[in-house]
Amino acid sequence: MTLKALCPCIVALALAACGEDAESQPVGRTAFHVTKVATFDEPWAMTFLPDGRLLVTEQRGRLKIVETHGGTAVSVAGVPEVAYGGQGGLGDVVLAPGARGGDSVYPIYLSWAEPGPGGTRGAAVGRAMLDAGTATPTLRDIKIIWRQVPKVKGTGHFGHRLAFSPDGNYLFISSGERQKFSPAQDMASSLGKTIRLRPDGSVPPDNPYADRGGVTAQIWSLGHRNPLGMAFDADGRLWQHEMGPRGGDEVNLIRKGHNYGWPIVSNGDHYDGRPIPGHDSRPDLEAPRLSWNPVISPAGAIIYSGDLFPQWKGSMLLGALSGQALVRVALAGEAAREAERWDMDARIREVEQGPDGAVWVLEDGSGGRLLKLTPR
């Protein structure tokens, strides 16, 4: 049964089809209104500043500060050069731990795809100071603290989502396997891995392979395909979702030193129809806590902790690109299940929680809208 069959009263869409104002209307029977705030060109990620404004990245290499009341956006100067194309470009943005309200200069972290020699590309992560208190906000003192190794040709599966541990002591980076398959199992490569670093980019001595040095020392988990969402729950567990091949999108509970199987096993098959052994064939490899077939193409993720939607507290909220939906995944300890799915009639790239508990989503692509979801 489709979501539209489950939730036939898609009020906002029906009103829009009739020519009425659907900028702030309830969606389905799910107790939220949708308010359009702004429009962007290929938005990719967002995070709130302590003063309540919003930082939004656009894939072509633009970073913008957005007034959440009215949607006025100002471009930030000093953004690093990006290798735009395919899935590459400017990626995630997060605040450094300890950033305080009342300041006009904020430490932030950015990820992006950068060019390499011979037409190669790779993800990079940098930290910078955002001077947001001037008419022309500017990034200063950018320092790259991590790069994917090796850089390879192609424009897919960069990953490069960022998440700080709840104590602020560790930065986790999701690193895609760049559509190269085998590097996800190569311990001398950072492709297809979850990376764990200190905020300054150094390697924590308790990483599972720290004693091996080099790229291997950075690895926290391996065997990933295209991880595009990552978040910590209230008990400090790290949850990550990744796009599968033809079938087999996954939600994984990330554990220190564990191997998640790609490309050895999957709950999906290759795009050309060739089968891939299932997770049940290799019990030594970590199986997903939830998978989708048909796929939804998950992107962006939060673990909701606000009070505006108390029924969602502790759930993962994620966007669906091909699924054109917002999805709620109920988490119970180490178990996960899809609980609700709301048809958004657009590819959803990113999800964020606002300071007041409202949920904010970014649509994908040119003309992608920033939407605020509030209780009905």
Side-chain angles (χ1 to χ4, degrees):
M1 181 178 294
T2 66
L3 176 71
K4 288 182 178 179
L6 290 171
C7 300
C9 184
I10 310 297
V11 177
L13 300 181
L15 288 172
C18 294
E20 296 186 39
D21 180 11
E23 298 294 276
S24 181
Q25 297 292 344
V27 175
R29 298 175 177 175
T30 54
F32 63 77
H33 289 266
V34 178
T35 302
K36 175 189 169 183
V37 176
T39 303
F40 298 93
D41 180 20
E42 297 182 272
W44 208 91
M46 59 180 161
T47 195
F48 278 90
L49 293 172
D51 63 12
R53 292 182 294 174
L54 193 61
L55 280 177
V56 175
T57 65
E58 292 181 329
Q59 198 173 333
R60 289 179 181 270
R62 292 182 288 265
L63 177 65
K64 295 188 174 181
I65 299 179
V66 184
E67 298 288 346
T68 55
H69 299 286
T72 303
V74 177
S75 294
V76 176
V79 177
E81 176 190 2
V82 305
Y84 169 75
Q87 297 176 21
L90 188 58
D92 212 353
V93 58
V94 296
L95 282 177
R100 299 183 304 276
D103 294 340
S104 60
V105 179
Y106 304 103
I108 67 169
Y109 288 73
L110 290 164
S111 68
W112 64 93
E114 64 175 2
T120 60
R121 303 179 182 207
V125 174
R127 58 177 182 168
M129 300 303 294
L130 170 64
D131 185 348
T134 63
T136 303
T138 304
L139 287 183
R140 307 188 188 282
D141 305 322
I142 298 176
K143 178 184 178 183
I144 294 178
I145 63 167
W146 178 80
R147 286 185 164 102
Q148 276 182 331
V149 175
K151 284 185 169 66
V152 297
K153 291 186 177 180
T155 61
H157 295 192
F158 292 94
H160 60 35
R161 282 288 181 182
L162 309 176
F164 276 98
S165 58
D167 60 11
N169 291 333
Y170 305 103
L171 173 65
F172 288 79
I173 305 166
S174 72
S175 178
E177 45 77 91
R178 300 298 319 284
Q179 296 178 301
K180 305 301 180 184
F181 299 92
S182 57
Q185 296 293 326
D186 181 358
M187 297 299 287
S189 165
S190 60
L191 307 185
K193 311 298 194 302
T194 305
I195 303 299
R196 180 181 182 250
L197 304 173
R198 292 193 180 104
D200 64 0
S202 61
V203 174
D206 60 341
N207 271 10
Y209 311 105
D211 59 347
R212 300 191 192 182
V215 171
T216 310
Q218 302 172 353
I219 296 171
W220 186 254
S221 66
L222 64 149
H224 300 291
R225 186 175 181 269
N226 190 22
L228 288 174
M230 194 162 49
F232 283 89
D233 68 20
D235 294 315
R237 289 179 286 251
L238 178 59
W239 295 86
Q240 184 184 89
H241 64 62
E242 61 183 80
M243 290 188 183
R246 194 174 75 175
D249 289 346
E250 299 179 356
V251 171
N252 288 304
L253 178 59
I254 301 301
R255 298 180 182 277
K256 177 180 180 178
H258 282 222
N259 186 336
Y260 290 78
W262 180 256
I264 301 169
V265 294
S266 173
N267 286 351
D269 294 322
H270 292 290
Y271 287 117
D272 62 8
R274 288 179 296 125
I276 304 172
H279 280 276
D280 56 0
S281 70
R282 288 290 302 268
D284 56 315
L285 302 175
E286 192 78 13
R289 302 305 163 116
L290 172 65
S291 65
W292 286 276
N293 193 352
V295 299
I296 63 169
S297 308
I302 60 169
I303 308 294
Y304 185 76
S305 61
D307 294 324
L308 280 188
F309 297 98
Q311 70 275 26
W312 297 352
K313 191 168 287 191
S315 293
M316 174 185 281
L317 298 177
L318 58 90
L321 292 167
S322 63
Q324 296 195 359
L326 177 67
V327 179
R328 181 171 77 87
V329 175
L331 305 177
E334 298 183 353
R337 63 175 179 84
E338 181 178 331
E340 294 177 280
R341 188 187 302 193
W342 302 288
D343 189 342
M344 302 297 288
D345 198 37
R347 291 164 56 89
I348 302 302
R349 170 60 68 179
E350 169 73 312
V351 185
E352 187 58 83
Q353 180 178 317
D356 63 354
V359 173
W360 295 69
V361 300
L362 278 171
E363 297 175 344
D364 190 43
S366 179
R369 298 180 301 168
L370 171 65
L371 305 174
K372 181 181 181 180
L373 311 186
T374 52
R376 184 173 175 177

